Amino acid sequence: MLVTPEREHKLRTVLSRRQPDLTVLMEQVNKPHNLSAILRTCDAVGVLEVHAIPPQKGLPVLEEAEAGKIRTYNDTSGSAAKWVGLRVHPDVPSAFAYLKGQGFRIYATRLSEQATDYRAVDYTQPTCILLGAEKWGVSEEAAALADGHIVIPMLGMVQSLNVSVAAAVILFEAQRQRLEAGLYERPRLSPQQYQAVWEAWSDPRRR
Amino acid sequence: MLVTPEREHKLRTVLSRRQPDLTVLMEQVNKPHNLSAILRTCDAVGVLEVHAIPPQKGLPVLEEAEAGKIRTYNDTSGSAAKWVGLRVHPDVPSAFAYLKGQGFRIYATRLSEQATDYRAVDYTQPTCILLGAEKWGVSEEAAALADGHIVIPMLGMVQSLNVSVAAAVILFEAQRQRLEAGLYERPRLSPQQYQAVWEAWSDPRRR
């Protein structure tokens, strides 16, 4: 027996709620505590796999990222990284080509003239939230390629939120819409995908 | 002239949206990046003043906190601290006595048998969100005194969110309800309160 029945039940419950059509693309997010907080949120709303374009120095908690490969993190601060896949892309055009090829609409979190309130987006459709670097946000290059720009209403003096906070506010709105639409009620992965992830998750070396 | 007309317009717009009856109580939150992210979120949803019970070592970005006094932070990471008041309390009973005296209902973010979904709370009423320390959450003492326990639905493997993420998810739900109820449309402060905050904000030494 690879896992206990209780563990199997827990793993299969979570796996049956994973949403292959909801994700984030992190463009040069570079602080480990933000990356860690974003991964915990992604796990909580059922994201199967996240995407990253690493800063030039490499991903903060992942030393040997290889482009095009799905990796899991091994950071010390939490276990979310073990349950959310990571796909690393070398640059903006590659990331967009991959995501658009998978049918995602990509929304940049960016204050611009064409930006709409994040609550107006239909997150039950295949959706990727594009998050920018802590200091300068989403790049011009990525913003120009995005399908839309979204903003979170800011009613105070400060212009922007912490990146992991912005990600969470949007992802929990997506979770709300997907709960309402019943998208967590039955498995969303194809049988092949489900089996592949199950084999990885139930490996006893994974704790 | 103390401030330019543009600056005055901006300051008065923000001040007219400040919500004296929405706040957070941070019980031993101890990481500066979390405190900073929580303050930015509070600014964005119009919180006038936050409350803290500092860890024994003192507040991370505030060295000379004095119990009972409203202070503003002077951290380097952002300006939100200049626009959100801070009231420090020495311990749980003092904080609760003060907040209950002000008419707040206090909701602890805590997974417990009596916890309800955070979206079921009416945040248009005077509301304080109680946030616990990063490692162990809200204390037993504070949880027992709270008016209710709320949880954010977690659909993954991990049991908890980052504290600044949890605060944001709840506060933006409060913002959504308060926008819908029209609570940002006209000043919520008493004329005396408004004048006192205006004088502090329009002081040219404050940048």
Side-chain angles (χ1 to χ4, degrees), chain A residues 43-44 119 153 155 158 172 175, chain B residues 43-44 119 153 155 158 172 175:
Chain A
D43 174 68
R119 293 174 180 124
L155 306 177
V158 176
F172 274 94
Q175 188 212 53
Chain B
D43 174 67
R119 292 175 181 123
L155 307 177
V158 176
F172 274 94
Q175 188 211 53

Side-chain angles (χ1 to χ4, degrees), chain A residues 18-91:
Chain A
R18 279 298 196 243
Q19 309 283 306
D21 55 353
L22 177 64
T23 192
V24 300
L25 169 58
M26 297 179 281
E27 187 191 11
Q28 305 193 26
V29 170
N30 60 56
K31 295 195 178 169
H33 60 80
N34 285 331
L35 199 52
S36 167
I38 292 169
L39 286 173
R40 281 164 81 180
T41 299
C42 283
D43 174 68
V45 304
V47 168
L48 179 68
E49 179 181 303
V50 300
H51 300 263
I53 302 164
Q56 297 219 334
K57 290 182 194 161
L59 279 171
V61 294
L62 179 75
E63 284 171 10
E64 26 170 342
E66 290 167 60
K69 284 205 181 175
I70 300 180
R71 300 282 311 237
T72 51
Y73 294 76
N74 267 315
D75 76 315
T76 53
S77 68
S79 58
K82 289 201 280 288
W83 311 107
V84 178
L86 168 68
R87 195 177 285 266
V88 174
H89 304 274
D91 51 36

